[in-house]
PDB file of all heavy atoms in Angstrom:
ATOM      1  N   VAL B 385      78.693 109.215 108.041  1.00  0.00           N
ATOM      2  CA  VAL B 385      77.873 107.968 108.075  1.00  0.00           C
ATOM      3  C   VAL B 385      77.376 107.805 109.436  1.00  0.00           C
ATOM      4  O   VAL B 385      78.160 107.546 110.483  1.00  0.00           O
ATOM      5  CB  VAL B 385      78.721 106.726 107.696  1.00  0.00           C
ATOM      6  CG1 VAL B 385      77.847 105.553 107.452  1.00  0.00           C
ATOM      7  CG2 VAL B 385      79.590 107.012 106.457  1.00  0.00           C
ATOM      8  N   SER B 386      76.111 107.897 109.568  1.00  0.00           N
ATOM      9  CA  SER B 386      75.632 108.084 110.941  1.00  0.00           C
ATOM     10  C   SER B 386      74.948 106.800 111.544  1.00  0.00           C
ATOM     11  O   SER B 386      74.503 106.809 112.716  1.00  0.00           O
ATOM     12  CB  SER B 386      74.652 109.241 111.034  1.00  0.00           C
ATOM     13  OG  SER B 386      73.554 109.010 110.006  1.00  0.00           O
ATOM     14  N   ALA B 387      74.892 105.767 110.767  1.00  0.00           N
ATOM     15  CA  ALA B 387      74.044 104.620 111.295  1.00  0.00           C
ATOM     16  C   ALA B 387      74.870 103.348 111.436  1.00  0.00           C
ATOM     17  O   ALA B 387      75.840 103.129 110.707  1.00  0.00           O
ATOM     18  CB  ALA B 387      72.974 104.299 110.278  1.00  0.00           C
ATOM     19  N   LYS B 388      74.718 102.622 112.494  1.00  0.00           N
ATOM     20  CA  LYS B 388      75.208 101.417 112.711  1.00  0.00           C
ATOM     21  C   LYS B 388      74.179 100.251 112.390  1.00  0.00           C
ATOM     22  O   LYS B 388      74.422  99.096 112.404  1.00  0.00           O
ATOM     23  CB  LYS B 388      75.701 101.253 114.192  1.00  0.00           C
ATOM     24  CG  LYS B 388      76.887 102.140 114.406  1.00  0.00           C
ATOM     25  CD  LYS B 388      77.586 101.734 115.778  1.00  0.00           C
ATOM     26  CE  LYS B 388      78.539 102.666 116.100  1.00  0.00           C
ATOM     27  NZ  LYS B 388      79.170 102.449 117.441  1.00  0.00           N
ATOM     28  N   ALA B 389      72.975 100.753 112.226  1.00  0.00           N
ATOM     29  CA  ALA B 389      71.847  99.739 112.156  1.00  0.00           C
ATOM     30  C   ALA B 389      72.056  98.793 110.946  1.00  0.00           C
ATOM     31  O   ALA B 389      71.621  97.622 110.928  1.00  0.00           O
ATOM     32  CB  ALA B 389      70.577 100.462 111.952  1.00  0.00           C
ATOM     33  N   ASP B 390      72.840  99.272 109.913  1.00  0.00           N
ATOM     34  CA  ASP B 390      72.921  98.475 108.756  1.00  0.00           C
ATOM     35  C   ASP B 390      74.110  97.484 108.730  1.00  0.00           C
ATOM     36  O   ASP B 390      74.544  96.870 107.751  1.00  0.00           O
ATOM     37  CB  ASP B 390      73.026  99.269 107.498  1.00  0.00           C
ATOM     38  CG  ASP B 390      74.123 100.194 107.468  1.00  0.00           C
ATOM     39  OD1 ASP B 390      74.748 100.526 108.609  1.00  0.00           O
ATOM     40  OD2 ASP B 390      74.556 100.811 106.511  1.00  0.00           O
ATOM     41  N   GLN B 391      74.824  97.510 109.922  1.00  0.00           N
ATOM     42  CA  GLN B 391      75.923  96.595 109.953  1.00  0.00           C
ATOM     43  C   GLN B 391      75.517  95.144 109.859  1.00  0.00           C
ATOM     44  O   GLN B 391      74.681  94.676 110.671  1.00  0.00           O
ATOM     45  CB  GLN B 391      76.737  96.866 111.213  1.00  0.00           C
ATOM     46  CG  GLN B 391      77.575  98.097 111.174  1.00  0.00           C
ATOM     47  CD  GLN B 391      78.563  98.168 112.309  1.00  0.00           C
ATOM     48  OE1 GLN B 391      78.946  97.224 112.848  1.00  0.00           O
ATOM     49  NE2 GLN B 391      78.796  99.461 112.763  1.00  0.00           N
ATOM     50  N   LYS B 392      76.130  94.429 109.077  1.00  0.00           N
ATOM     51  CA  LYS B 392      75.875  92.967 108.948  1.00  0.00           C
ATOM     52  C   LYS B 392      77.104  92.353 108.648  1.00  0.00           C
ATOM     53  O   LYS B 392      77.588  92.460 107.629  1.00  0.00           O
ATOM     54  CB  LYS B 392      74.860  92.613 107.866  1.00  0.00           C
ATOM     55  CG  LYS B 392      74.408  91.170 107.890  1.00  0.00           C
ATOM     56  CD  LYS B 392      73.053  90.958 107.090  1.00  0.00           C
ATOM     57  CE  LYS B 392      72.644  89.597 107.093  1.00  0.00           C
ATOM     58  NZ  LYS B 392      73.398  88.797 106.080  1.00  0.00           N
ATOM     59  N   ASN B 393      77.662  91.740 109.779  1.00  0.00           N
ATOM     60  CA  ASN B 393      79.069  91.173 109.645  1.00  0.00           C
ATOM     61  C   ASN B 393      78.807  89.664 109.113  1.00  0.00           C
ATOM     62  O   ASN B 393      78.183  88.841 109.836  1.00  0.00           O
ATOM     63  CB  ASN B 393      79.654  91.142 111.022  1.00  0.00           C
ATOM     64  CG  ASN B 393      79.967  92.506 111.388  1.00  0.00           C
ATOM     65  OD1 ASN B 393      79.753  93.376 110.633  1.00  0.00           O
ATOM     66  ND2 ASN B 393      80.376  92.674 112.652  1.00  0.00           N
ATOM     67  N   VAL B 394      79.320  89.374 108.005  1.00  0.00           N
ATOM     68  CA  VAL B 394      79.282  88.060 107.387  1.00  0.00           C
ATOM     69  C   VAL B 394      80.633  87.596 107.243  1.00  0.00           C
ATOM     70  O   VAL B 394      81.514  88.068 106.403  1.00  0.00           O
ATOM     71  CB  VAL B 394      78.469  88.115 106.074  1.00  0.00           C
ATOM     72  CG1 VAL B 394      78.401  86.736 105.454  1.00  0.00           C
ATOM     73  CG2 VAL B 394      77.092  88.693 106.322  1.00  0.00           C
ATOM     74  N   THR B 395      81.046  86.642 108.010  1.00  0.00           N
ATOM     75  CA  THR B 395      82.485  86.075 107.867  1.00  0.00           C
ATOM     76  C   THR B 395      82.479  84.970 106.809  1.00  0.00           C
ATOM     77  O   THR B 395      81.440  84.562 106.335  1.00  0.00           O
ATOM     78  CB  THR B 395      82.925  85.566 109.237  1.00  0.00           C
ATOM     79  OG1 THR B 395      82.033  84.462 109.563  1.00  0.00           O
ATOM     80  CG2 THR B 395      82.943  86.673 110.340  1.00  0.00           C
ATOM     81  N   ASP B 396      83.602  84.617 106.598  1.00  0.00           N
ATOM     82  CA  ASP B 396      83.808  83.542 105.504  1.00  0.00           C
ATOM     83  C   ASP B 396      83.027  82.249 105.905  1.00  0.00           C
ATOM     84  O   ASP B 396      82.640  81.580 105.079  1.00  0.00           O
ATOM     85  CB  ASP B 396      85.188  83.228 105.261  1.00  0.00           C
ATOM     86  CG  ASP B 396      85.876  84.425 104.428  1.00  0.00           C
ATOM     87  OD1 ASP B 396      85.189  85.182 103.851  1.00  0.00           O
ATOM     88  OD2 ASP B 396      86.982  84.416 104.467  1.00  0.00           O
ATOM     89  N   SER B 397      83.007  82.087 107.241  1.00  0.00           N
ATOM     90  CA  SER B 397      82.513  80.712 107.660  1.00  0.00           C
ATOM     91  C   SER B 397      80.927  80.893 107.965  1.00  0.00           C
ATOM     92  O   SER B 397      80.370  80.030 108.432  1.00  0.00           O
ATOM     93  CB  SER B 397      83.229  80.290 108.991  1.00  0.00           C
ATOM     94  OG  SER B 397      82.852  81.276 109.891  1.00  0.00           O
TER      95      SER B 397
END
Side-chain angles (χ1 to χ4, degrees):
Chain B
V385 189
S386 56
K388 291 190 184 182
D390 61 340
Q391 285 190 30
K392 183 161 181 284
N393 299 351
V394 181
T395 62
D396 286 344
S397 64

